[in-house]
Structure formats: structure tokens, C-alpha cells
Amino acid sequence: MEIVICKTKEEASRIAASIITAAVKANPETVLGLATGSTPVTMYDEMAKAVAAGEVSYKKVRSWNLDEYVGLPGTHDQSYRYFMNENLFKKIDIDLANTHVLNGLAEDPVAECAAYEKQIKDAGGIDIQVLGIGSDGHIAFNEPGTSLASRTGVVYLTPQTIKDNARFFKSADEVPTRALSMGVGSICEAKKIILLAFGANKADAVAAAVEGGVSQYCTASALQCHNDVWFFCDEEAAAKLKLKDYYSWRSSIKLQKVQVND
Ligand code: F6R
């Protein structure tokens, strides 16, 4: 795991976006795994800026999103399909037909999830997976207590996640209690993983994911077993890491190499 600790989320988002821009320039058919939530929005804006500047094109890029609420149509303003259209897809030149979000209204959710996994496999797998992290250490909607080998399927949100996400709904009662989500095992098949974590309320989760034991109690800890994971944190989210000075020194050297290779 490489841990990049930046002064601000803006700086972290810029660097993370530059890695994606460079990858898409190098391979215009890059397959992206994308996340929703407040965390990646600044990075998505930076990606859009690179498109507007004519630096890169997403015309041939295909994307698969991590998750979707059960019961919300893609037109609902809190659905993750709607979120992606508004916060990224409309701002870059990607072909909407190449973007995939699990269908929260699928009549047969199990078949929907199996077909989604097959689509990703047929596309050659995810080249770069973008992740946020929940305050309880979840990745996608893989809550504490989820097997680290889990595959894409129907999942149940914890009271904590419902509380965290209630800010986007009129009340906590309106937050769906189930979602379709890529599994931890499915996510870990991505070739490269970029996790973004900003703010003091992520500090415990980041410390558990990076320096805690690998445990289903913190599903992000499964990323310790992946060999190309980059955490981009602001100082607040990194505050509880014991080895933060070492990570900063090491990642600054590795980031220079990434830029030289580009
Ligand atoms: C979103 C997702 C979630 C979020 C996490 C953090 O697709 O899968 O795991 O990444 O809940 O959410 P924010 O960014 O809103 O703090």
C-alpha cells in the first residue's frame, strides 16, 4: 500500500486525477471502476478539467460503478446512476452507453449481480478502481462483518451507514436499507486501486485499514493483500496513522517515479 498524505483534499484529488488522466492517455480503452459519495467529487472535477483542456478523451473508456441502492430508479436524485451522470459523465466526453451502474430495480438482483461480474470479466477486468471509505471502514457497501472474499451481490446497510447517508435524504427513514454492491473479492481483482479519504471522521477507518489486522471488521483492510493500492488522504484522515512520516517520505519518491514513467 502506498499512502500519500496531502495538506488538502484538493491537492490529493489533483494528484489522483493526474494518475487517471495519464492512464487514459496511455490506454484510451482503460476500464475504470468508479465510486460515488462526497469524497471523489473534487477528483472528478479535476478529471473533467483535463478533458476540457483537450488533454485526454474518455470516448473509448468503459466504466463500472461499485454500488447502487435497491429500490431507487436511476432517475432518482439520490441514486448512484444519477450521481454519476451529474458529477462526472456529463462533464467528460464518455459515451453513456459505456458506463455501467448496477440496476437497483432489477427483478432478479442475483442475476443482475452475476451478469455485472461477467461484463467486467469480459471487458478484461478493471484497470483502475476508485474507492472511498466509510467511517466504519467499508469499501463499496461491504459493511463490517462482510466476508473479504465476497462477490457482487445484495447487501444490508448498517445503522451507521444509514445515519451517514441520511444527510442526502429528507430523513434517515428514507435511506434504502439494501444495496447491490461489488464484493470485496471482486474489488480486489482490479489491477490498480486508488482510495481517497478526507476529513477527521475517516481517521479511525484509515488507521484500521492500513495498520490494523486484515479483518472483516474493516473491509478496507483487505486492500493490504493487494499489490497496487494507493491511498490519497488529507492530513486529517491520516492523523491516526503511526507511520505517517515514513509513508509520506516513501510515497513522495514513488510518485516522482510515476511521473517520470509517464
Ligand atoms: C460509494 C461507496 C461508499 C463510499 C463511502 C464513503 O460508491 O461505495 O463506500 O465510498 O461510503 O462515502 P463518502 O465519500 O460520502 O464519505
Side-chain angles (χ1 to χ4, degrees):
M1 276 177 166
E2 288 307 326
I3 319 297
V4 183
I5 303 169
C6 298
K7 285 213 159 18
T8 62
K9 76 169 182 185
E10 286 75 18
E11 185 190 348
S13 301
R14 257 195 314 275
I15 303 173
S18 74
I19 291 178
I20 296 179
T21 301
V24 175
K25 273 162 89 170
N27 172 16
E29 296 187 14
T30 296
V31 176
L32 293 178
L34 297 173
T36 55
S38 28
T39 310
V41 170
T42 311
M43 185 187 77
Y44 291 157
D45 286 342
E46 290 295 328
M47 287 160 65
K49 275 190 208 162
V51 173
E55 254 181 73
V56 66
S57 169
Y58 285 75
K59 282 204 172 96
K60 294 183 180 164
V61 167
R62 284 173 293 168
S63 72
W64 275 267
N65 259 78
L66 286 170
D67 40 21
E68 180 60 282
Y69 288 117
V70 167
L72 295 193
T75 48
H76 189 289
D77 65 1
Q78 291 308 324
S79 75
Y80 286 173
R81 159 53 77 184
Y82 186 92
F83 176 98
M84 289 310 300
N85 288 352
E86 295 302 312
N87 287 286
L88 182 65
F89 300 150
K90 279 185 183 170
K91 299 180 178 177
I92 59 176
D93 58 348
I94 200 165
D95 181 348
L96 261 194
N98 286 339
T99 68
H100 305 84
V101 181
L102 284 152
N103 177 7
L105 295 183
E107 272 182 32
D108 183 344
V110 174
E112 166 72 10
C113 293
Y116 201 74
E117 289 230 350
K118 184 167 184 310
Q119 284 174 356
I120 294 173
K121 195 167 173 220
D122 291 348
I126 304 277
D127 293 311
I128 303 182
Q129 175 68 58
V130 175
L131 296 176
I133 184 168
S135 62
D136 60 4
H138 69 228
I139 47 173
F141 268 131
N142 295 292
E143 300 285 34
T146 304
S147 162
L148 301 185
S150 64
R151 307 301 308 184
T152 305
V154 182
V155 297
Y156 295 81
L157 277 55
T158 57
Q160 180 64 50
T161 299
I162 292 173
K163 200 171 136 212
D164 285 353
N165 291 358
R167 66 191 193 276
F168 301 115
F169 291 81
K170 286 195 195 95
S171 74
D173 297 342
E174 282 187 18
V175 185
T177 54
R178 289 184 307 154
L180 303 182
S181 175
M182 284 178 67
V184 182
S186 325
I187 290 168
C188 288
E189 284 172 4
K191 289 162 202 143
K192 183 184 205 70
I193 297 180
I194 291 177
L195 184 146
L196 307 170
F198 306 136
N201 70 325
K202 300 295 173 72
D204 285 323
V206 167
V210 176
E211 294 178 342
V214 174
S215 158
Q216 64 173 10
Y217 190 66
C218 171
T219 55
S221 67
L223 302 174
Q224 292 179 30
C225 302
H226 189 286
N227 69 356
D228 192 3
V229 176
W230 290 73
F231 272 53
F232 287 89
C233 303
D234 63 7
E235 284 178 347
E236 291 176 324
K240 295 193 176 171
L241 289 170
K242 295 189 189 82
L243 298 181
K244 61 184 171 199
D245 292 343
Y246 170 65
Y247 302 138
S248 287
W249 170 73
R250 191 180 65 184
S251 67
S252 67
I253 296 169
K254 293 213 175 174
L255 271 177
Q256 275 167 24
K257 275 199 194 158
V258 169
Q259 277 151 19
V260 169
N261 288 344
D262 289 345

